[in-house]
Amino acid sequence: AQSVAQPEDQVNVAEGNPLTVKCTYSVSGNPYLFWYVQYPNRGLQFLLKYITGDNLVKGSYGFEAEFNKSQTSFHLKKPSALVSDSALYFCAVRDRNTGGFKTIFGAGTRLFVKA
Amino acid sequence: SAVISQKPSRDICQRGTSLTIQCQVDSQVTMMFWYRQQPGQSLTLIATANQGSEATYESGFVIDKFPISRPNLTFSTLTVSNMSPEDSSIYLCSVEFEGSFGTGELFFGEGSRLTVL
């Protein structure tokens, strides 16, 4: 069965500093990996995805994530955090071999960026 | 991208009643899904809404409790039946566009926040 772990409930970072939000996954086959962001009282928005190819993927709002197959990780990063990045971030996985179109979400990590 | 409209955006319901949530997409989509997000928690997939056939439910969710309709490629409804306070949650409609063969990202509606008293 596929699963996603986000080990940190909350990440605090000062504005201008780099940020990392961690994600590890477990699938029986090869994964499709996604990051989504949820701003207060809003629906989820897609940030970026890894399907195949280059392990470093770039997405919206200056975010990027690196797929590491050996560590089964897909950490979200940004070189310089903004206060407006404060939100709830979800990592998600889809098992391309067995899971079809079913997307499983992690528990979410709340990011606080302090001015 | 797509515009996904959900109604109602929020409601307060009495125990034992049922409520139907509507999801309207501004373009045709192959895959439509219904998720539940309980307060402070992650998203849990309820079911895949299949056009013209019965929905595919995930473990722990049954058709009698969460009947789903999908009469065409742009519209779906989720009914939460015989509600209890444990059903208080945000219900999210999401879609994936045709042709992405599972590689596509999901687009979400704004959600329907239900409070059951």
Side-chain angles (χ1 to χ4, degrees), chain A residues 63-85:
Chain A
F63 284 93
E64 59 187 29
E66 185 165 13
F67 170 61
N68 187 319
K69 187 173 183 178
S70 63
Q71 298 185 4
T72 62
S73 67
F74 190 56
H75 301 331
L76 181 70
K77 299 183 179 184
K78 186 173 182 181
S80 179
L82 300 172
V83 172
S84 58
D85 292 329

Side-chain angles (χ1 to χ4, degrees), chain B residues 17-56:
Chain B
T17 63
S18 298
L19 182 77
T20 296
I21 302 167
Q22 298 180 4
C23 178
Q24 178 73 56
V25 189
D26 68 347
S27 55
Q28 292 187 341
V29 292
T30 303
M31 307 299 295
M32 292 183 76
F33 308 91
W34 286 99
Y35 281 87
R36 181 172 72 184
Q37 185 179 21
Q38 293 181 304
Q41 297 189 27
S42 184
L43 283 76
T44 301
L45 181 62
I46 298 171
T48 302
N50 301 310
Q51 193 262 329
S53 64
E54 193 171 287
T56 304

Side-chain angles (χ1 to χ4, degrees), chain A residues 78-96:
Chain A
K78 186 173 182 181
S80 179
L82 300 172
V83 172
S84 58
D85 292 329
S86 298
L88 186 57
Y89 290 82
F90 291 98
C91 182
V93 66
R94 189 182 283 165
D95 185 337
R96 69 174 74 180

Side-chain angles (χ1 to χ4, degrees), chain B residues 84-98:
Chain B
S84 67
E86 292 71 33
D87 294 320
S88 297
S89 190
I90 300 173
Y91 292 85
L92 294 159
C93 171
S94 71
V95 306
E96 180 179 353
F97 287 99
E98 182 176 6

Side-chain angles (χ1 to χ4, degrees), chain A residues 32 34 36 38 41-46 49 51 88 90 94 100-108 110, chain B residues 10 31 33 35 37 40-43 45 58 92 96 100-110 113:
Chain A
Y32 295 143
F34 305 82
Y36 292 86
Q38 187 175 36
N41 300 314
R42 300 286 301 278
L44 272 76
Q45 298 177 32
F46 166 74
K49 65 182 177 184
I51 302 300
L88 186 57
F90 291 98
R94 189 182 283 165
F101 289 87
K102 178 178 173 179
T103 303
I104 301 300
F105 286 80
R110 191 166 297 279
Chain B
R10 60 178 62 231
M31 307 299 295
F33 308 91
Y35 281 87
Q37 185 179 21
Q41 297 189 27
S42 184
L43 283 76
L45 181 62
E58 297 299 311
L92 294 159
E96 180 179 353
S100 51
F101 304 108
T103 65
E105 60 271 24
L106 297 176
F107 293 89
F108 286 85
E110 294 285 314
R113 182 183 294 268

